[in-house]
């Protein structure tokens, strides 16, 4: 299937947009009218640049407010249209998209609208230019695809066909069934954008919430299926007006766009089952099965490494041994493995110089490491190949969007990975400890990066995404959305905030960008775990007594159990029969913290109701430290 993108979806100059689109692997572009108006050279030079980059110019868009006008206004429009057609001829754009008029002064008479469009089509025929007419949900009169198709039929010109905009249909509640009566040969273009399920007027939703397929909640799979059933064989074109896109790099947005189209095509192909489409749809390797987090790697050096070593030990991790050829140490608590990398001239050291002490890599345990890597590369992930020394396994890896690494550890390699690479002291196997697994990793993201990250995990790793919800921080709101592997063996909540004073924003600032802001470990007996942690000197977060007074009332807890929770500073949540007990550490250098959790009876959330209490407790702790620093 041909893949295209409208230049209005990208930031930067027109040259930067075209170069980014070509680098991402698109076949074609729709050149936006505003990009030509702002361009400093001739339309012909744009044609030459696109050709040199291997891009076809499929369309010019949009022509606005042309129809339903009084005679005098329409005659003035014809002069403007002729100039646009001359420009298109120089640009080499064969198709112009005409959006339904938004002028409230325009006529609702379909015959007048059709007659004026017929005149425009006659002018287009003289220059061998095709036209496509489409509805706008906020147009003055033509607001849905059925009305637009009726107008096209009234015009009755082979020069004028229809364009269909998925966002305009689905974001306003129109179903894909409306496409059944439209022959694919009369569909000149299909425009795609996604959106979250938020209730807001269509104009604002388009401007602030539209996003790429896979980043929102619209059923674009069913939409494209319906389009293909019309026997449409043209391109799928991304057209997104999200203001946040214009503050991101054009290369990142173009890569996200290509990733989104490939994921959408894969979903359509899988949903189509026995039906045969007349176009080839993207067929990547299926996602590998991910069964858990095999290891986490922390980057630190000098005093920071010594401080982290002390923290790991206080949390019950045994220092098992040193890497056979690098300054990397292995820590283990039960089934959880941590690596502390202080090796000079390494990826971890470079990451440390940029971000300070932080999680620089995650190892995902998978049934097929090569398939996991192959899928990632087909979705435009960047492969990482570091030095492989003696007594080391070559573990496939990619770079995450924040520059950290994701390793794919084959299950058969996980059994002997540590014995091969580390000189482990026989007396320190860490097996008598309390932790079962890494329960989840939470990431703090800069504002505007949530959608891109969700798409990455969905496409590259085959993860699923939960609904978005808001958390109350003492200094503002935090938007949170979790992604997880199938079966939820790996869970990754993503958090971002617009305000600069929230804990999430502070962590982004402290760590120089997106980073892991907390790691949660699963245990079978949280009371025994907390007792062990306190005995070893772990710095756990204090929760105020008022929390437990409210807790007992909300869940009708027995006094003895509430007192036990209060004594250990353990937080509690319940959904149905499922219970979630968890305790937090204090933050490490205001960067990240640790959490210890116990799940029962199928509880599958993250204790979101308790997040404000954790944020408030950390804020109080930070204020106390700030006062001490001032003194």
């Amino acid at each position: 299937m041909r893949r295209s993108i409208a230049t209005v979806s990208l930031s930067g100059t027109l040259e930067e947009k075209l170069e980014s689109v070509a680098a991402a692997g698109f076949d074609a572009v729709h050149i936006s009218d505003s990009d030509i108006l702002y361009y400093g050279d001739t339309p012909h030079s744009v044609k030459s640049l696109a050709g040199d980059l291997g891009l076809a110019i499929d369309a010019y868009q949009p022509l606005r407010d042309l129809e339903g006008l009084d005679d005098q206004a329409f005659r003035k429009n014809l002069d403007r249209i002729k100039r646009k057609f001359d420009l298109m001829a120089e640009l080499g754009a064969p198709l112009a998209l005409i959006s339904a008029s938004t002028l409230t002064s325009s006529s609702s008479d379909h015959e007048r609208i059709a007659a004026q469009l017929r005149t425009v089509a006659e002018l287009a025929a003289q220059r061998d230019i095709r036209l496509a007419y489409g509805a706008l949900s906020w147009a003055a009169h033509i607001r849905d695809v059925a009305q637009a198709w009726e107008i096209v039929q009234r015009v009755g010109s082979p020069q004028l066909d229809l364009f269909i905009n998925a966002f305009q249909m689905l974001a306003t509640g129109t179903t894909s069934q409306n496409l059944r009566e439209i022959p694919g040969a009369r569909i000149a273009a299909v425009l795609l954008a996604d959106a979250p399920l938020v209730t807001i007027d269509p104009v604002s939703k388009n401007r602030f919430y539209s996003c790429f397929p896979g980043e929102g909640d619209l059923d674009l799979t069913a939409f494209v299926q319906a389009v293909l059933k019309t026997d449409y064989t043209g391109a799928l074109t991304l057209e997104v007006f999200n203001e946040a896109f214009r503050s991101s790099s054009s290369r990142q947005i173009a890569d996200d766009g290509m990733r989104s189209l490939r994921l959408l095509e894969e979903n359509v192909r899988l949903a189509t089952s026995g039906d045969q489409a007349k176009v080839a749809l993207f067929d990547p390797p299926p996602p590998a099965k991910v069964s858990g987090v095999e290891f986490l790697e922390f980057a630190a050096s000098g005093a920071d490494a010594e401080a982290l070593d002390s923290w790991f030990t206080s949390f019950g991790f045994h220092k098992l041994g040193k890497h056979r050829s690098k300054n990397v140490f292995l820590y283990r608590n039960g089934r959880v493995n941590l690596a502390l990398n202080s090796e000079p001239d390494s990826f971890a050291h470079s990451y440390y110089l940029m971000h300070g002490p932080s999680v620089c890599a995650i190892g995902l345990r998978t049934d097929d490491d090569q398939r996991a890597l192959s899928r990632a590369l087909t979705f435009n992930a960047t492969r990482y190949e570091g030095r492989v020394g003696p007594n080391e396994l070559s573990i496939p890896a990619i770079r995450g969007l924040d520059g950290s690494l994701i390793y794919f550890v084959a299950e058969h390699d996980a059994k002997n990975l540590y014995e091969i690479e580390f000189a482990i002291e026989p007396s320190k196997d860490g097996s008598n400890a309390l932790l079962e697994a890494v329960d989840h990793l939470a990431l703090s993201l800069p504002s505007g990066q949530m959608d891109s990250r969700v798409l990455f995990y969905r496409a590259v790793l085959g993860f699923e995404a939960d609904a978005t919800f808001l958390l109350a921080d003492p200094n503002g709101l935090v938007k949170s959305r979790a992604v997880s592997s199938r079966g939820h063996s790996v869970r990754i909540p993503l958090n971002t905030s617009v305000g600069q004073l929230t804990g999430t924003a502070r962590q982004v600032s402290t760590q120089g960008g997106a980073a892991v802001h907390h790691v949660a470990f699963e245990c079978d007996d949280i009371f025994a775990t907390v007792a062990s942690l306190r005995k070893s000197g772990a710095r756990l977060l204090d929760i105020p007594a008022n929390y437990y007074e409210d807790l007992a009332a909300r869940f009708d807890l027995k006094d003895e159990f509430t007192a036990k929770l209060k004594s250990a500073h353990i937080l509690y949540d319940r959904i149905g029969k499922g219970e979630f007990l968890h305790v937090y550490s204090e933050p490490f250098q205001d960067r990240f913290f640790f959490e210890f959790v116990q799940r029962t009876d199928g509880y599958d959330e993250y204790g979101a109701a308790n997040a404000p209490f954790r944020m408030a407790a950390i804020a109080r702790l930070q204020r106390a430290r700030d006062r001490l620093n001032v003194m």
Side-chain angles (χ1 to χ4, degrees):
M1 189 123 206
R2 278 168 55 81
R3 304 180 187 104
S4 174
I5 187 170
T7 56
V8 74
S9 305
L10 302 156
S11 64
T13 66
L14 184 54
E15 296 96 328
E16 291 170 337
K17 294 181 180 187
L18 294 177
E19 289 166 1
S20 297
V21 167
F26 283 91
D27 302 302
V29 291
H30 283 201
I31 301 292
S32 299
D33 182 57
S34 58
D35 280 313
I36 291 295
L37 295 179
Y38 302 148
Y39 186 60
D41 207 336
T42 65
H44 186 269
S45 69
V46 177
K47 176 182 179 181
S48 298
L49 176 59
D52 291 343
L53 293 170
L55 291 172
I57 297 176
D58 276 2
Y60 186 79
Q61 58 138 303
L63 303 181
R64 302 177 185 273
D65 301 327
L66 299 186
E67 77 283 13
L69 307 178
D70 62 58
D71 292 343
Q72 182 179 0
F74 182 63
R75 282 194 296 272
K76 288 183 178 180
N77 256 350
L78 289 180
D79 292 336
R80 175 168 63 95
I81 292 165
K82 291 174 183 177
R83 289 195 294 272
K84 293 296 183 184
F85 286 169
D86 291 340
L87 183 155
M88 288 177 59
E90 189 177 353
L91 186 63
L95 175 69
L97 304 191
I98 303 174
S99 297
S101 177
T102 61
L103 297 176
T104 55
S105 60
S106 63
S107 171
S108 62
D109 180 13
H110 283 201
E111 192 52 52
R112 171 174 281 272
I113 291 171
Q116 292 183 347
L117 287 175
R118 193 177 301 117
T119 300
V120 176
E122 290 169 358
L123 289 177
Q126 296 171 14
R127 292 164 171 80
D128 198 24
I129 289 173
R130 290 180 63 211
L131 304 175
Y133 184 66
L136 279 179
S137 56
W138 55 85
H141 309 294
I142 309 303
R143 297 174 181 168
D144 63 52
V145 68
Q147 291 176 309
W149 174 232
E150 192 267 332
I151 293 294
V152 169
Q153 291 176 296
R154 275 180 182 265
V155 171
S157 168
Q159 218 66 28
L160 179 72
D161 290 315
L162 183 74
F163 78 82
I164 299 171
N165 188 312
F167 178 89
Q168 298 295 334
M169 286 182 57
L170 304 182
T172 55
T174 305
T175 69
S176 302
Q177 298 301 317
N178 290 19
L179 303 179
R180 287 183 299 181
E181 305 302 321
I182 303 171
R186 299 302 307 275
I187 301 174
V190 174
L191 308 182
L192 300 175
D194 206 340
L197 297 178
V198 295
T199 303
I200 193 172
D201 67 277
V203 175
S204 298
K205 193 170 191 176
N206 187 42
R207 183 174 179 182
F208 298 108
Y209 290 93
S210 62
C211 52
F212 286 139
E215 295 179 339
D217 302 306
L218 302 182
D219 191 356
L220 289 172
T221 297
F223 172 83
V224 174
Q225 280 185 289
V227 168
L228 294 181
K229 285 181 180 179
T230 70
D231 291 335
Y232 174 77
T233 58
L236 296 178
T237 302
L238 297 171
E239 184 194 62
V240 177
F241 290 91
N242 194 321
E243 292 288 341
F245 280 26
R246 295 171 191 174
S247 61
S248 303
S249 75
S250 58
R251 182 59 189 270
Q252 176 192 326
I253 295 299
D255 281 343
D256 282 352
M258 178 54 70
R259 193 174 286 133
S260 75
L261 275 181
R262 288 175 175 171
L263 178 62
L264 177 59
E265 287 184 38
E266 179 189 31
N267 291 338
V268 171
R269 182 180 54 78
L270 294 174
T272 303
S273 60
D275 298 339
Q276 293 295 318
K278 293 189 175 182
V279 292
L281 297 171
F282 188 58
D283 188 9
K289 179 182 177 181
V290 176
S291 57
V293 175
E294 180 57 38
F295 65 82
L296 294 174
E297 182 177 337
F298 289 77
S301 186
D304 288 330
E306 293 176 7
L308 265 179
D309 172 89
S310 176
W311 271 58
F312 291 165
T313 302
S314 73
F315 292 130
F317 283 88
H318 299 268
K319 192 174 185 178
L320 299 192
K322 186 179 180 183
H323 195 278
R324 297 183 188 277
S325 60
K326 297 177 181 177
N327 191 22
V328 183
F329 287 90
L330 175 66
Y331 299 77
R332 180 174 294 159
N333 184 328
R335 299 178 184 177
V336 177
N337 298 292
L338 307 180
L340 179 54
N341 192 331
S342 301
E343 175 69 8
D345 191 28
S346 66
F347 165 81
H349 187 65
S350 298
Y351 198 85
Y352 169 72
L353 293 177
M354 293 180 64
H355 303 282
S358 51
V359 175
C360 65
I362 175 175
L364 299 180
R365 188 169 55 253
T366 175
D367 65 336
D368 192 329
D369 56 339
Q370 292 303 318
R371 189 170 87 230
L373 176 64
S374 296
R375 178 181 177 86
L377 297 181
T378 62
F379 280 101
N380 282 7
T382 302
R383 184 171 188 173
Y384 172 78
E385 295 182 273
R387 296 196 318 259
V388 180
N391 300 315
E392 287 187 72
L393 292 174
S394 178
I395 305 175
I398 60 171
R399 288 186 182 272
L401 294 184
D402 58 359
S404 65
L405 301 183
I406 301 173
Y407 286 95
F408 300 117
V409 183
E411 290 173 347
H412 58 81
D413 285 336
K415 297 176 182 178
N416 55 11
L417 165 65
Y418 308 104
E419 287 73 14
I420 291 174
E421 297 207 358
F422 291 87
I424 297 177
E425 299 180 36
S427 62
K428 297 181 179 180
D429 63 5
S431 60
N432 61 340
L434 300 170
L435 303 186
E436 293 295 320
V438 173
D439 184 85
H440 62 271
L441 301 167
L443 273 65
S444 293
L445 306 176
S447 178
Q449 290 192 10
M450 176 76 79
D451 291 344
S452 178
R453 193 61 62 101
V454 168
L455 174 62
F456 179 87
Y457 284 111
R458 275 177 161 171
V460 172
L461 300 177
F463 281 16
E464 300 167 332
D466 294 342
T468 301
F469 58 92
L470 296 177
L471 303 174
D473 182 278
N475 297 302
L477 290 177
V478 173
K479 184 167 74 169
S480 183
R481 189 176 193 186
V483 294
S484 58
S485 61
R486 289 173 171 81
H488 292 195
S489 60
V490 176
R491 299 178 173 95
I492 305 178
L494 308 171
N495 301 297
T496 185
S497 72
V498 176
Q500 298 303 304
L501 299 178
T502 64
T504 296
R506 287 180 64 148
Q507 286 155 347
V508 169
S509 177
T510 301
Q511 300 197 73
V516 172
H517 77 72
H518 90 257
V519 179
F521 301 116
E522 178 190 352
C523 60
D524 283 338
D525 185 343
I526 195 164
F527 293 101
T529 298
V530 169
S532 176
L533 293 174
R534 294 197 182 280
K535 185 177 180 181
S536 60
R539 298 167 64 175
L540 300 181
L541 196 63
D542 290 336
I543 303 300
N546 292 335
Y547 166 80
Y548 296 96
E549 296 296 328
D550 179 69
L551 186 71
R554 281 195 295 130
F555 292 108
D556 193 25
L557 300 178
K558 294 182 179 178
D559 291 344
E560 181 181 354
F561 182 62
T562 303
K564 193 175 180 182
L565 292 172
K566 180 180 178 180
S567 175
H569 291 268
I570 294 172
L571 296 102
Y572 177 90
D573 190 32
R574 185 171 69 213
I575 299 177
K577 294 183 178 180
E579 295 180 306
F580 187 66
L581 290 80
H582 55 138
V583 64
Y584 296 104
S585 79
E586 294 183 1
F588 177 84
Q589 297 183 5
D590 203 23
R591 294 174 173 275
F592 54 82
F593 54 90
F594 297 99
E595 181 184 7
F596 300 84
V597 312
Q598 180 182 342
R599 299 175 181 270
T600 67
D601 296 319
Y603 184 99
D604 200 29
E605 301 295 329
Y606 303 90
N610 292 324
F613 298 97
R614 182 253 300 167
M615 293 175 181
I618 291 177
R620 284 194 301 273
L621 182 66
Q622 187 61 52
R623 283 195 296 271
R625 289 176 177 173
D626 290 343
R627 286 195 296 269
L628 288 175
N629 290 336
V630 170
M631 296 172 61

